[in-house]
Amino acid sequence: MSTLQVRDLRVSVEDTEILKGVDLTVSSGETHALMGPNGSGKSTLAYSIAGHPKYTVTGGTVTLDGEDVLSMKIDERARAGLFLAMQYPVEVPGVSTSNFLRTAVTAIRGEAPKLRTWVKDVNAAMAELDIESSFSERGVNEGFSGGEKKRYEILQLALLKPKIAILDETDSGLDVDALRTVSRGVNSARESTDLGVLLITHYPRILQYIRPDVVHVFYHGRIVETGGAELADRIEAEGYVRFGEPKEAVS
Amino acid sequence: MATLIQSGPAEHEVSLSGPGAQTTGSPAERFTSREPEAFEVPSSRDEVWRFSPVDRLRPFFEVFEPDGVIQADNTVPDGAHVDVVEPSSTAAFGRALEPADRVSALAMANATRGLHVRVDANAELSEPIVLVRKGISGRSYGHHVVEVGANARATLVLDHVGEIQIAANMEIVVGEGAQLSIVAINDCEPGSIQLSSYAAMVGRDATYRHINVSLGGDIVRIVPTVRFSGRGGRAELLGLSFAGPGQHFETRLFVDHGEPDCSSDVLYKNALEGENARTVWIGDVRIRPEATGTQTFELNRNLVLTDGARTDSVPNLEIETGEILRAGHASASGRFDDLQLFYLQSRGIPADEARRLVVRGFFAEVVNRIGVPQVQDRLLAAIEDELMRAGT
Ligand SMILES: Nc1ncnc2c1ncn2[C@@H]1O[C@H](COP(=O)(O)OP(=O)(O)OP(=O)(O)O)[C@@H](O)[C@H]1O
Ligand SMILES: [Mg+2]
């Protein structure tokens, strides 16, 4: 049982405060949906937890099972059990996906996986996510389509087996079939490893496949409302107007 | 006839140093001569030498008495022949090379011995010709002549190790329909200086590939040139170098398209690490009025791993006919991409290992195109050593 705890987190980018006191607790087996308008700071929250150097934490705490996440290096956070499926996965030319996956899993587990079972595991995970085997020879995300990149993020999730995963708009850019495939991948990780999930999305549709325990509304740098799955439908119907003036009007 | 001069990077990500964007100043008509005295003694004001450490090269600017001791080890498969000759006694002497600088002219005039490498017409060599040159001491001239007969297929590996101080030319005549790959590996000891011109004359429908790898030595300055003697020729120039502290690796290439329907494809990648690590890449391509149907592309990428290193990159494309298929160039120099490193680290990979992955990935595109497995394996190992030594 693991718990990611975010307390009063404040984050700035180039002297602009983006996160203005975020409180959130995600434990193993739980799925939290996070919805909010463009620019409200959802990715900022995700990247800050993962340790992206562009973001400066100016206040608050993030802990994983009581350990101070903010004092960990980026790779230490991943090895502690955090995973971020990025909104815009990064291309790393020339680094083959197979080499990358093996290097990553070796780093996370602290030892190289046994070659025979590893190849089998990768192939099975790729098949489950409808990723063609030819991808193993390609560079990491190199020339992948938008949807392929998202699937590849979930492949990594399946192989790295984190404790808590943040999925930043993994559903954006997926066709209907891919959305089902990817959701199946996330659900099987939830079942097999008791994964805790923070699922950032704009669309209630993915929530029909990945049922959230709670839905949070993120607005202007903080969580402004928390409710059940029905909250997502209400947002779909009403938008975010009731949470305040349009963002532009707020100084 | 349309005349179009394009100079400077078409795509330029970061300009870390160097002449900025515009031009090499390389004249379309480059001066060549066999007469050393026709060239002034090089200085840093000299266009051709302005990026080079001329003070350290001074011993090569006047005639010297060669006293170099170099151990040779040749592997010559059936269908190929390697003889030691007086260079000017070969019929092909001067066919491909027109010296473009004083050092090359001096080597041509003063090299009394050189290799004559021949590949029989129609021969398909079962394995590469491998010429290992291990420098023991002293300073040398070299002038070698390579002739590949019509429709032959051959790979020639030149492996330079030990302590070498040399001014050398290699003339390469590729017969009609022949395919030749030359892989030159420069991996000498500290203190070594190699000044080498590789001049190729590529026959009708022939394919010439020149792959230069610079890893060791103080100064490696190579001047690969390609001309075509018939239509339909192809040239591929690849380069890979990893410059460490104080090392100067320079490439000045010139592809002279003067025949129709030929193509050239240039890809050079350099990584630099440490104080005063230095790479220079000058890529001149000229498409003459006769060279209709030309396709050419050149790309140079430089990865600067630490402060204190400097890289210059100057592509230069001169197009003198409107009737070409494709002509392009790109040059980019930069540091590590922070996003790439973040992505890899976010998967648990420690920072130093992430950097090594990125560097290996950077070189992979060139290594994979070399097409000579034993060279590729050796290079991957050498890159690994460099990375370990650099402690990146
Ligand atoms: N370098 C920067 N300087 C100033 N503001 C920045 C910088 N980088 C990001 N921001 C701002 O931070 C805010 C939050 O961005 P973030 O990417 O976290 O939003 P988001 O909620 O994920 O939006 P979306 O739904 O569009 O993905 C945005 O207004 C963005 O413009
Ligand atoms: Mg976002």
Side-chain angles (χ1 to χ4, degrees), chain A residues 75 79 84 107 141 153 156, chain B residues 340 343 345 347-348 353 357:
Chain A
D75 53 306
R79 292 203 295 275
L84 169 60
N141 290 317
E153 295 291 280
Q156 295 171 50
Chain B
Q340 290 180 356
Y343 189 79
Q345 287 169 263
R347 273 38 175 161
E353 202 173 347
L357 272 179

Side-chain angles (χ1 to χ4, degrees), chain B residues 42-311:
Chain B
S43 79
S44 54
R45 285 181 308 280
D46 196 336
E47 178 52 42
V48 176
W49 293 96
R50 70 186 176 107
F51 293 106
S52 309
V54 282
D55 286 338
R56 289 149 75 193
L57 298 178
R58 226 161 269 297
F60 290 94
F61 294 160
E62 302 296 344
V63 184
F64 59 81
E65 194 57 49
D67 60 354
V69 179
I70 297 178
Q71 259 175 21
D73 180 11
N74 303 338
T75 306
V76 186
D78 284 350
H81 314 273
V82 176
D83 302 299
V84 177
V85 298
E86 160 120 33
S88 58
S89 71
T90 61
F93 183 73
R95 279 255 301 278
L97 178 72
E98 296 171 341
D101 62 55
R102 184 175 169 107
V103 172
S104 174
L106 281 166
M108 190 170 192
N110 293 290
T112 51
R113 276 154 46 98
L115 296 175
H116 190 203
V117 179
R118 287 170 297 138
V119 178
D120 298 337
N122 302 310
E124 290 199 15
L125 302 190
S126 56
E127 53 175 306
I129 305 165
V130 181
L131 308 178
V132 181
R133 292 291 172 273
K134 182 174 183 196
I136 306 298
S137 64
R139 191 153 10 110
S140 313
Y141 285 118
H143 191 104
H144 312 294
V145 177
V146 178
E147 291 182 85
V148 178
N151 302 311
R153 289 182 181 208
T155 297
L156 169 59
V157 177
L158 304 165
D159 195 346
H160 302 114
V161 293
E163 268 187 59
I164 290 184
Q165 302 255 344
I166 196 165
N169 298 312
M170 179 170 272
E171 299 197 61
I172 302 124
V173 179
V174 189
E176 276 192 22
Q179 298 182 15
L180 172 68
S181 295
I182 291 185
V183 185
I185 302 169
N186 310 303
D187 195 7
C188 294
E189 301 297 321
S192 298
I193 296 178
Q194 289 175 263
L195 305 176
S196 307
S197 292
Y198 296 88
M201 181 64 81
V202 180
R204 183 186 174 118
D205 295 323
T207 299
Y208 171 65
R209 304 176 73 235
H210 184 269
I211 298 132
N212 185 76
V213 178
S214 295
L215 299 168
D218 284 3
I219 301 169
V220 180
R221 184 182 188 276
I222 66 157
V223 182
T225 59
V226 177
R227 287 184 293 154
F228 297 92
S229 58
R231 70 164 63 216
R234 282 186 297 274
E236 187 179 355
L237 303 183
L238 302 176
L240 178 164
S241 82
F242 199 135
Q247 289 183 303
H248 178 104
F249 295 151
E250 177 168 352
T251 301
R252 274 188 172 265
L253 64 88
F254 179 44
V255 182
D256 189 349
H257 281 276
E259 292 285 336
D261 304 325
C262 293
S263 70
S264 56
D265 189 359
V266 177
L267 173 66
Y268 269 72
K269 291 201 173 185
N270 303 311
L272 301 90
E273 173 277 325
E275 202 58 39
N276 296 319
R278 182 93 159 84
T279 65
V280 177
W281 181 85
I282 311 294
D284 292 338
V285 176
R286 180 179 185 187
I287 305 174
R288 293 178 188 262
E290 314 77 304
T292 55
T294 293
Q295 294 192 58
T296 177
F297 189 72
E298 52 173 359
L299 172 63
N300 169 231
R301 284 190 186 278
N302 303 300
L303 181 57
V304 180
L305 304 180
T306 60
D307 288 339
R310 172 173 169 174
T311 179

